[in-house]
Amino acid sequence: MKPTRLSAPLLCVGLLMLLTACRPVIQVTLVAGAQQLPAPRFEVEDPEHADRPRYDTVQVLNREGELFWRMRAEPFGDENSVRALTYGEVPTGFISVEGPRALQPGGRYALFVVGRNRGSLHFDVDAEGRVTAVPP
């Protein structure tokens, strides 16, 4: 089979897709027993770092894309990231850039944790203020 001019670029694209698809993402979950408004609690696990996750930005948006809360490390970097986050509480070494706005019963939200890797958790709040994880 004679190679074509597209063979090498297609091979490179395929290899790049394979390498980026294998990159671990940060895992975000709800903490059992702390799944209630006004301040649900989240656990953050980073498969590449067993001691603590590495991230520098956290943000929460609703289903319409409105920003409800955004915080970032100050100074910028991943030295101050923590394993557990409580909505509305800014960990030491972070600053709140916007919000937090109150989460609303009946709302759907997504929490994004961003650094070298990234992760997210989508969640609903029911009429009683209980928070449950949902698929994206």
Side-chain angles (χ1 to χ4, degrees):
M1 175 175 188
K2 180 180 171 185
T4 66
R5 290 176 39 181
L6 290 176
S7 296
L10 287 176
L11 180 61
C12 289
V13 168
L15 184 58
L16 181 61
M17 287 174 61
L18 179 64
L19 291 174
T20 58
C22 294
R23 186 153 179 89
V25 293
I26 295 173
Q27 303 296 313
V28 184
T29 56
L30 285 162
V31 173
Q35 301 165 300
Q36 186 73 33
L37 291 186
R41 192 158 173 80
F42 306 91
E43 187 169 83
V44 183
E45 296 283 332
D46 185 343
E48 288 187 342
H49 303 96
D51 59 331
R52 68 174 173 79
R54 304 290 198 272
Y55 59 86
D56 50 52
T57 305
V58 176
Q59 56 186 14
V60 176
L61 295 94
N62 69 4
R63 74 178 88 201
E64 289 80 28
E66 295 175 83
L67 187 60
F68 269 61
W69 187 32
R70 182 171 189 269
M71 66 176 180
R72 68 174 171 79
E74 184 65 36
F76 196 73
D78 62 13
E79 294 81 25
N80 297 315
S81 52
V82 294
R83 189 174 306 280
L85 298 167
T86 300
Y87 185 80
E89 295 178 11
V90 180
T92 301
F94 281 76
I95 61 168
S96 187
V97 177
E98 186 166 328
R101 294 168 45 190
L103 300 172
Q104 300 299 313
R108 173 166 285 184
Y109 302 92
L111 180 139
F112 296 94
V113 178
V114 182
R116 289 187 186 128
N117 292 326
R118 70 232 159 275
S120 64
L121 175 74
H122 294 256
F123 61 95
D124 284 347
V125 180
D126 70 14
E128 288 78 38
R130 287 186 302 258
V131 178
T132 56
V134 295

